[in-house]
Amino acid sequence: MRALARTITLVERRDPSVRDLEEALRSDASTPGVAGFTGAPGTGKSTLVDAVVTHLRGKEKSVAVLATDPNSPFTGGAILGDRIRMQRHALDGKVFIRSMGARGHLGGLSLATREAIRLLGAFGFDEVILETVGVGQSELEVAAVADTTVVVLTPNLGDSVQMIKAGILEIADVFVVNKSDLDGHARVAAELRAMMNLAPKRVWKPPIIATVATRQEGIEQLWSAVVAHRSHLEASGRAKELTEQRLRDETAEVAAELARRRARQALEDDPTLAERLLQDGTPYRTAEEILKRDANR
Ligand SMILES: Nc1nc2c(ncn2[C@@H]2O[C@H](COP(=O)(O)OP(=O)(O)O)[C@@H](O)[C@H]2O)c(=O)[nH]1
Ligand SMILES: [Mg+2]
């Protein structure tokens, strides 16, 4: 587990050794299932994820939880509240919990998360669960990485409205109305159904699952919905399409990042080049020249 945690830190920094690691792991790596949980702070995502971990451990599955926060520079330990909540799994060798931040890391969170998922696959994890911690872009980042995106709502006033604003209706594969022990949960589900009827029809109709995470209620139904969505992806050929598209995107992103690093380095190492750039004001030509140079190395 220590080795895994250390390696994920290298991935976050996009350390060059990651490439060698990728080569070494490629052949025997299996692909874990990836479910992402997103929703406004306080809706009970951490509690739900904890309940799902319990459910999966009951089925002898190994689980890794990555809490992703694009706004946080902090990585490594879980945030205090979540650490306490997750404590009952702390000594379980088949559960790995890690928070991942992005600020200050090159290449953004989704690149690091994807590489981390590959690593977890190589370490034999059956399931990876992503939980968004921050607000804003994190929902979309999770949807870009997860096979199944679970959007968590609660009966509390305001949640549903916020969600539509963030365009989250489009990325949801499964809706959860958590805190269904509170008044108003039926209304939230009804509102959701009404909104889905107005939205353009999708091949996959996101189910709405009622849960009480604090009492482990509805978790089995929730996980069945995730598994059903996964089967849909496989059967429709969408899973293969997604994998292909994501590998292409990822490659383009990594290539852009490598090029950026090289350009910065070249301008630092070659004062003549930097001076000419300043004189001529020709960033395009200079960039092309640097890339050509590198190609011949
Ligand atoms: N009544 C009720 N409270 C819940 C439920 N699930 C979580 N909570 C509480 O909601 C609060 C926020 O939960 P947390 O998991 O930290 O939310 P997160 O910010 O989305 O990760 C905590 O006090 C939880 O105990 C539930 O099903 N019913
Ligand atoms: Mg949380």
Side-chain angles (χ1 to χ4, degrees), residues 18 21 32 50 86 99 135 138-139 148 170 200 263 280:
V18 168
L21 201 72
D50 181 74
M86 290 288 186
S99 71
V135 284
S138 53
E139 288 91 3
T148 302
E170 289 85 50
D280 300 351

Side-chain angles (χ1 to χ4, degrees), residues 249-268:
D249 290 349
E250 202 177 352
T251 304
E253 275 177 64
V254 173
E257 195 185 302
L258 292 178
R260 194 176 298 122
R261 280 186 191 179
R262 283 181 180 185
R264 293 219 166 95
Q265 197 63 51
L267 290 167
E268 218 166 273

